[in-house]
Amino acid sequence: IWFVTLSSVSSPHIPKDFDLVILDEASQSLEPSCIEALTRGKKILLIGDYKQLQPIVKSRKAISDKMNISLFEKLCRSQG
């Protein structure tokens, strides 16, 4: 069992393959920040509530390009 942050998951001492990757507060994580972690797991569990906690994005350009929507929210909305 390893507990790491999204910003440290690419460190060389972190194993490359996991049976399960759990991404807590996934509704606050933007796609670019969670891609590395998601590629390391055979199974992935995303936990969060996009209606409660959303990513903090200050750039108006990023917001207008819809970069303020988390992967978690996109997946939830795609399922109806």
Side-chain angles (χ1 to χ4, degrees), residues 1-79:
I1 297 175
W2 286 75
F3 295 94
V4 298
T5 63
L6 290 175
S7 60
S8 66
V9 74
S10 61
S11 297
H13 70 278
I14 305 294
K16 297 286 185 198
D17 297 308
F18 292 93
D19 290 329
L20 175 64
V21 170
I22 300 171
L23 183 54
D24 191 20
E25 299 298 350
S27 60
Q28 290 183 336
S29 304
L30 296 171
E31 285 181 63
S33 65
C34 61
I35 293 294
E36 176 76 23
L38 298 179
T39 62
R40 294 179 180 234
K42 294 175 187 165
K43 294 181 182 179
I44 299 164
L45 176 61
L46 303 178
I47 301 170
D49 180 354
Y50 72 90
K51 292 181 181 178
Q52 179 183 5
L53 296 172
Q54 298 175 335
I56 297 172
V57 177
K58 295 182 179 182
S59 165
R60 291 176 194 231
K61 171 77 171 130
I63 292 169
S64 70
D65 290 343
K66 304 212 183 290
M67 296 291 293
N68 61 327
I69 301 171
S70 68
L71 175 63
F72 184 83
E73 181 175 351
K74 289 176 185 177
L75 291 170
C76 287
R77 290 181 183 270
S78 73
Q79 298 302 307

